[in-house]
Amino acid sequence: MRSSCRLRHSLTRPTSLDGCAVGGPADDAVARHPAIGTTIRRRLARVALSTARLLLPIALVTLCAGPARAQGSPPPWHQGVSEERKQRAQALFEEARELHRRVMLAEARTKYEEALASWEHPELRIYLGRALASMGLPLLAYESLSLALRWGPGWLAPEIEQQARAAMRSLVERELAAVEIRCDEPGAAVLLDGKPWFVAPGTGRRMVMPGEHVVVARKSGYFTVVRPILVYAGKEASGRLALSVDAVVTRQRWPAWVPWATIGAGAALGAVGSGLLWHSGKSHEATDKRVQRECVPSCPPSGSDMYGGSVLENQLGIGALIAGGATVVTGTVLLFVNRPQSYRTEDRGGVKLELRPAASVGAAGLSARLVF
């Protein structure tokens, strides 16, 4: 009988799964009027052709994606987790959901965490993030949601992923702040609020609660940088951190050769003066002998002094000795004053920060530049 036939739809005419025809008034009209039947069949053919053109790309995508999905590995959070642990996590999750509905948030949080200890599932992380946000723990809620999305886009259902990202954006814009610091000094350890952050060179970014935080950077042989940073909800403090070498530097007022050159010049002047005095003495003796030999009993008057040359040399020699001695004394003083002096280098390190919206360019608030 016709009523016992199970129906299925085709592009041309409904038929039953068992091959029974499905009749009706339209079928009788087609039988009585062949022209009407031809028109209906042409329309059905056009509808079938347009439907086939519409479904062809979808069918091709399905055929291409089907084998990849069949051959692909399961989600990463399924790997290495036994069925027993999954069942335990499911049971704990149901308990946590019931506590969550009853607004017993602390107990629900404990159950969510126990379930996650058995099975690190992203949806469990999302539920835990919601509970933490309701408890007034936005930073922990943000971290839990971040862990839920750490596998990358496409692993979760689109609506779940969108909800998680929207919740994270809301936390950043209303209840959290961000700190992003770059340090290019290799091997420098950067700490945030006394806890290790990252090792330079590199950039670190972390969500924090609004308020004052302390950035510390240290490296052996460099001045330690300790700077407070004040950030507000919905804002991000970003900047660059620089370290200065902490060393003992030895310097002199003048180059080392200056005092020694001065002493050498004084010694040279003394030598020249001594030479002039010796030569003037010899000249004086020679003049005495000549006078004794030629002036018997006396010398005739002369317009020139026979001792003038030796006297001038004697005066020049004495002047050279005096100048040389003074120069040697000056060089000795310079040598004493020019002793090496040691001192520490100046600390020129610090953090240059720029304050800007943390979540998006459309966030409210003005930007300001803070330089420490």
Side-chain angles (χ1 to χ4, degrees):
M1 294 178 63
R2 183 174 299 170
S3 61
S4 65
C5 296
R6 291 175 295 172
L7 300 180
R8 65 179 181 182
H9 295 283
S10 69
L11 293 177
T12 56
R13 182 181 180 185
T15 57
S16 71
L17 192 61
D18 299 328
C20 301
V22 181
D27 298 324
D28 297 336
V30 170
R32 292 193 301 267
H33 302 282
I36 296 176
T38 302
T39 302
I40 293 176
R41 283 193 292 271
R42 287 177 180 176
R43 290 180 179 177
L44 289 175
R46 286 197 295 269
V47 171
L49 181 60
S50 61
T51 304
R53 289 176 178 174
L54 178 65
L55 296 178
L56 181 59
I58 301 175
L60 290 176
V61 171
T62 304
L63 290 174
C64 294
R69 180 178 295 273
Q71 297 174 5
S73 60
W77 54 85
H78 282 273
Q79 299 176 7
V81 183
S82 64
E83 290 299 325
E84 181 181 357
R85 291 173 56 186
K86 292 180 181 179
Q87 293 175 3
R88 171 175 170 77
Q90 181 66 32
L92 290 169
F93 170 71
E94 292 174 359
E95 295 180 22
R97 285 289 295 149
E98 180 61 28
L99 293 170
H100 201 160
R101 292 190 191 96
R102 294 162 58 185
V103 200
M104 301 175 66
L105 299 178
E107 293 80 0
R109 173 187 178 182
T110 301
K111 292 296 182 180
Y112 283 134
E113 291 174 346
E114 291 179 3
L116 284 166
S118 296
W119 189 10
E120 183 64 34
H121 196 287
E123 293 190 22
L124 284 173
R125 281 287 174 190
I126 293 175
Y127 278 99
L128 175 60
R130 293 173 181 172
L132 292 171
S134 300
M135 294 174 65
L137 301 172
L139 185 57
L140 293 178
Y142 182 89
E143 292 174 354
S144 182
L145 292 171
S146 299
L147 289 174
L149 299 176
R150 70 183 186 273
W151 310 106
W155 285 106
L156 295 175
E159 62 276 7
I160 296 178
E161 182 175 341
Q162 291 176 3
Q163 291 174 6
R165 295 190 183 279
M168 292 174 65
R169 190 179 305 108
S170 177
L171 289 172
V172 171
E173 292 177 349
R174 299 179 182 180
E175 301 184 61
L176 296 177
V179 176
E180 180 177 288
I181 297 295
R182 177 175 179 80
C183 182
D184 295 326
E185 185 59 46
V190 183
L191 297 84
L192 181 63
D193 295 333
K195 298 179 180 180
W197 191 2
F198 67 94
V199 177
T203 301
R205 188 178 190 276
R206 180 173 291 182
M207 303 305 301
V208 296
M209 295 296 294
E212 187 176 78
H213 300 270
V214 179
V215 173
V216 178
R218 59 192 180 194
K219 180 183 178 182
S220 179
Y222 289 75
F223 286 100
T224 298
V225 176
V226 181
R227 293 291 185 274
I229 299 175
L230 183 62
V231 287
Y232 302 93
K235 297 298 179 65
E236 175 181 325
S238 63
R240 185 182 299 270
L241 186 151
L243 282 77
S244 297
V245 176
D246 181 9
V248 177
V249 179
T250 301
R251 290 184 179 178
Q252 296 175 304
R253 292 178 180 269
W254 309 281
W257 60 269
V258 172
W260 292 108
T262 304
I263 294 174
L269 285 173
V272 171
S274 299
L276 289 173
L277 288 174
W278 176 82
H279 190 268
S280 67
K282 290 293 184 180
S283 298
H284 194 81
E285 291 178 1
T287 303
D288 284 342
K289 291 178 180 181
R290 185 164 57 85
V291 168
Q292 292 175 4
R293 185 177 60 251
E294 296 179 355
C295 298
V296 178
S298 63
C299 292
S302 175
S304 61
D305 187 0
M306 292 184 293
Y307 291 95
S310 61
V311 172
L312 180 60
E313 284 185 339
N314 183 268
Q315 292 174 349
L316 291 175
I318 292 173
L321 282 175
I322 293 173
T327 305
V328 170
V329 172
T330 303
T332 304
V333 174
L334 292 177
L335 187 64
F336 178 79
V337 175
N338 201 41
R339 290 178 303 172
Q341 297 180 353
S342 300
Y343 60 92
R344 293 181 68 185
T345 55
E346 184 180 357
D347 183 7
R348 297 181 179 273
V351 183
K352 293 184 178 180
L353 293 176
E354 182 179 355
L355 199 63
R356 62 190 183 194
S360 64
V361 295
L366 297 177
S367 296
R369 185 172 183 82
L370 305 178
V371 179
F372 295 88

